[in-house]
Amino acid sequence: IIRIVDVWRIYNTGFTEVAALRGVSLSLESGEFVAVMGPSGSGKSTLLNILGCLDRPTRGRYVLAGQEVQERSDDELAVIRNRHIGFVFQTFNLLPRMTAQRNVEQPMLYARVPAAERRERAREALERVGLGDRLHHRPNELSGGQQQRVAIARALVMNPDIILADEPTGNLDSRASEEIMDLFQALNEAGVTIIVVTHDEELAVRIPRVVRLRDGKVVADGLREEA
Amino acid sequence: IIRIVDVWRIYNTGFTEVAALRGVSLSLESGEFVAVMGPSGSGKSTLLNILGCLDRPTRGRYVLAGQEVQERSDDELAVIRNRHIGFVFQTFNLLPRMTAQRNVEQPMLYARVPAAERRERAREALERVGLGDRLHHRPNELSGGQQQRVAIARALVMNPDIILADEPTGNLDSRASEEIMDLFQALNEAGVTIIVVTHDEELAVRIPRVVRLRDGKVVADGLREEA
Ligand SMILES: Nc1ncnc2c1ncn2[C@@H]1O[C@H](COP(=O)(O)OP(=O)(O)OP(=O)(O)O)[C@@H](O)[C@H]1O
Ligand SMILES: Nc1ncnc2c1ncn2[C@@H]1O[C@H](COP(=O)(O)OP(=O)(O)OP(=O)(O)O)[C@@H](O)[C@H]1O
Ligand SMILES: [Mg+2]
Ligand SMILES: [Mg+2]
């Protein structure tokens, strides 16, 4: 379902160039569950942004569900992002003046889901991550881990085929982290393709395949023997 | 050096009340190194904000360096925050339009440190956290873990007596986390009082005293036998 071939991403900050990805190739079947790991600054978020169609490679190809992403129009990519990909951002990206419930409703607005259904699905998504009693809190009225869970709920609410989660448990205690992993595992068993960027080796042991990055290159990509 | 007695913090969100801290008492000698742990939403950041003089308790007393905090003027508190307390925020709170170096210079501006000295101390603080090659990048040109390390560098640059760090390694891989812990341990050996909020049990094993919160109350507070 996902295939990237020799992808480079070079940033120009005006006075230097940073090659965040240097020839990354990766291939995933539909329904796989993959962890992406590596040191801080190794290119994990950059990779995930490209896979999520939030950024384009400087060089190389990305084939998503059988079609080259660079051949699709911006409108087509917007629909793909909205309906087929659920993205959990490393820094949450919540709208600060909206409540938790309204933040989770956002993707459904774009898809023109009727108001009563939007509210109900948002409420139910927030309950699934343990925030049923925080629906009307704004992000600055929530703890760091609660904000992270709102970002997770928002990524799930459109029932996407692909979940891309950038360090979804970085602000969660071990019990809340396990609950999120249980949720991801249940979705994966139902056929959802999941890629989780994580620094947490405890989390990664529950994920069947691990891709390791270092300085913008893949240095390992394999299945765990016990998976 | 720090003593809080029966501290409550109640938030009013307009339609509900959230008691984030419900009678927390804590006492630290100068030079101690303490981990604060507990589930997401248990009150850790709220506690740290009060200790850092960024927030006031609804009820209870806070005695800092021998004087009641509520008896000090806002100006006095601002000087204490600037010169004696280094605060690492859970969500970094970097200024988005300034470079990493300029962000780290911020506390020194307030203290009227001359420009050449400011730049040099900021550069040196960023090198200490492994970001010597990212001085001129803005936050959105940095990875999540790099932003976190800029926030750490900024907290250290005034050589504070007290460091309050809210999940300082949440976005760091294990090697970068260890480097930050080595840094904190060296500062503690030089006499700095350090309180680290963390979800990471691996990190906490290196910290001699652990305070655990649950639902806004202290449920454990003790020294590790082996420390
Ligand atoms: N401004 C606010 N208004 C209302 N409730 C708030 C506000 N800020 C925090 N809260 C609530 O207070 C409780 C404690 O929040 P706090 O940020 O201290 O938790 P925490 O232990 O740091 O959690 P985490 O590990 O997720 O960062 C949470 O349940 C949160 O929803
Ligand atoms: N807009 C940008 N301009 C310049 N350099 C950038 C930009 N965004 C990221 N970088 C650099 O690209 C590299 C990879 O960044 P990326 O965010 O992908 O790392 P990461 O693996 O997600 O790290 P972390 O674990 O710290 O989140 C970093 O060294 C970073 O400084
Ligand atoms: Mg990242
Ligand atoms: Mg917190």
Side-chain angles (χ1 to χ4, degrees):
Chain A
I1 191 170
I2 282 174
R3 188 157 53 88
I4 58 170
V5 183
D6 200 34
V7 154
W8 287 70
R9 179 63 171 98
I10 298 170
Y11 294 112
N12 276 307
T13 54
F15 49 87
T16 55
E17 254 186 23
V18 176
L21 296 177
R22 306 160 186 250
V24 171
S25 300
L26 186 64
S27 198
L28 266 81
E29 304 292 324
S30 178
E32 281 206 62
F33 194 172
V34 182
V36 173
M37 307 187 74
S40 175
S42 55
K44 305 178 298 296
S45 296
T46 302
L47 173 60
L48 219 65
N49 289 341
I50 287 170
L51 294 178
C53 303
L54 295 160
D55 188 19
R56 290 178 186 271
T58 315
R59 248 184 267 170
R61 297 165 52 218
Y62 178 18
V63 182
L64 175 62
Q67 190 173 344
E68 301 267 343
V69 164
Q70 46 268 38
E71 288 169 17
R72 295 188 189 259
S73 71
D74 285 350
D75 288 348
E76 284 179 297
L77 288 182
V79 172
I80 287 172
R81 282 197 305 265
N82 180 257
R83 308 224 176 162
H84 298 287
I85 297 175
F87 203 104
V88 185
F89 292 90
Q90 186 169 7
T91 51
F92 321 149
N93 293 10
L94 299 180
L95 296 169
R97 286 192 269 169
M98 290 193 175
T99 63
Q101 188 171 22
R102 284 277 178 86
N103 262 286
V104 176
E105 288 186 40
Q106 284 303 299
M108 292 184 280
L109 276 175
Y110 185 87
R112 303 190 185 182
V113 174
E117 182 186 343
R118 278 203 317 266
R119 272 194 299 272
E120 177 53 27
R121 283 168 62 176
R123 189 193 57 71
E124 193 266 335
L126 284 163
E127 282 188 358
R128 244 186 302 166
V129 296
L131 293 177
D133 61 351
R134 290 284 183 273
L135 297 182
H136 309 300
H137 286 236
R138 289 184 179 73
N140 68 347
E141 296 167 337
L142 293 172
S143 78
Q146 289 166 345
Q147 292 174 38
Q148 188 153 43
R149 283 181 277 160
V150 175
I152 293 168
R154 183 183 58 189
L156 304 183
V157 79
M158 292 292 287
N159 301 314
D161 314 306
I162 299 169
I163 292 170
L164 303 176
D166 200 343
E167 313 219 29
T169 62
N171 285 284
L172 299 179
D173 56 282
S174 45
R175 183 173 156 209
S177 296
E178 283 184 28
E179 285 169 15
I180 295 304
M181 277 305 290
D182 289 344
L183 185 44
F184 282 4
Q185 240 157 7
L187 289 165
N188 182 243
E189 277 159 32
V192 179
T193 306
I194 304 185
I195 304 177
V196 175
V197 167
T198 183
H199 281 306
D200 190 348
E201 299 277 356
E202 302 273 312
L203 216 80
V205 294
R206 295 178 58 171
I207 302 174
R209 176 180 168 191
V210 178
V211 172
R212 289 188 191 269
L213 292 185
R214 176 180 291 280
D215 295 324
K217 288 179 182 291
V218 175
V219 296
D221 179 356
L223 295 175
R224 297 181 182 286
E225 295 79 33
E226 48 293 2
Chain B
I1 191 172
I2 281 174
R3 188 157 54 86
I4 59 171
V5 183
D6 200 34
V7 153
W8 287 70
R9 178 63 171 100
I10 298 170
Y11 294 112
N12 276 307
T13 53
F15 49 87
T16 54
E17 254 185 21
V18 176
L21 295 177
R22 305 160 186 249
V24 171
S25 300
L26 188 64
S27 197
L28 266 80
E29 305 290 325
S30 177
E32 281 206 63
F33 194 172
V34 181
V36 174
M37 307 188 73
S40 175
S42 54
K44 305 180 298 296
S45 296
T46 302
L47 173 61
L48 219 65
N49 288 338
I50 288 171
L51 294 178
C53 304
L54 296 161
D55 189 18
R56 290 178 186 270
T58 313
R59 248 184 266 171
R61 298 164 52 217
Y62 178 17
V63 182
L64 175 63
Q67 191 175 344
E68 302 268 342
V69 164
Q70 45 269 37
E71 288 169 18
R72 296 189 189 258
S73 72
D74 285 350
D75 288 349
E76 285 179 296
L77 287 182
V79 172
I80 287 171
R81 281 196 306 264
N82 180 255
R83 306 223 177 164
H84 298 288
I85 298 175
F87 203 104
V88 185
F89 292 90
Q90 187 169 6
T91 50
F92 322 148
N93 293 12
L94 300 180
L95 297 170
R97 284 193 269 168
M98 291 194 174
T99 63
Q101 188 171 21
R102 286 279 177 83
N103 262 285
V104 176
E105 288 185 42
Q106 285 301 298
M108 293 183 280
L109 276 175
Y110 185 87
R112 302 189 186 184
V113 174
E117 182 185 342
R118 278 202 319 264
R119 272 195 300 273
E120 177 53 28
R121 282 168 62 178
R123 190 192 57 71
E124 194 266 333
L126 284 163
E127 282 189 357
R128 244 186 303 164
V129 296
L131 292 177
D133 60 351
R134 290 285 183 273
L135 298 181
H136 309 299
H137 285 236
R138 291 184 179 73
N140 69 348
E141 294 167 337
L142 293 172
S143 77
Q146 289 167 346
Q147 291 174 37
Q148 188 153 41
R149 284 181 277 159
V150 175
I152 292 168
R154 183 183 57 189
L156 304 183
V157 78
M158 292 291 286
N159 301 315
D161 313 306
I162 299 170
I163 291 169
L164 303 176
D166 201 344
E167 314 217 29
T169 62
N171 286 283
L172 299 179
D173 55 282
S174 44
R175 182 171 158 213
S177 295
E178 283 184 28
E179 285 169 16
I180 295 306
M181 277 303 291
D182 289 345
L183 185 45
F184 282 3
Q185 242 158 4
L187 289 164
N188 183 242
E189 278 160 31
V192 179
T193 306
I194 304 186
I195 304 178
V196 176
V197 167
T198 184
H199 283 306
D200 190 347
E201 299 278 355
E202 302 272 313
L203 216 81
V205 294
R206 295 179 59 172
I207 301 175
R209 176 179 168 192
V210 179
V211 173
R212 288 187 190 270
L213 292 185
R214 177 180 289 281
D215 295 325
K217 288 179 181 292
V218 174
V219 296
D221 180 355
L223 296 174
R224 298 181 180 286
E225 294 80 32
E226 47 296 359

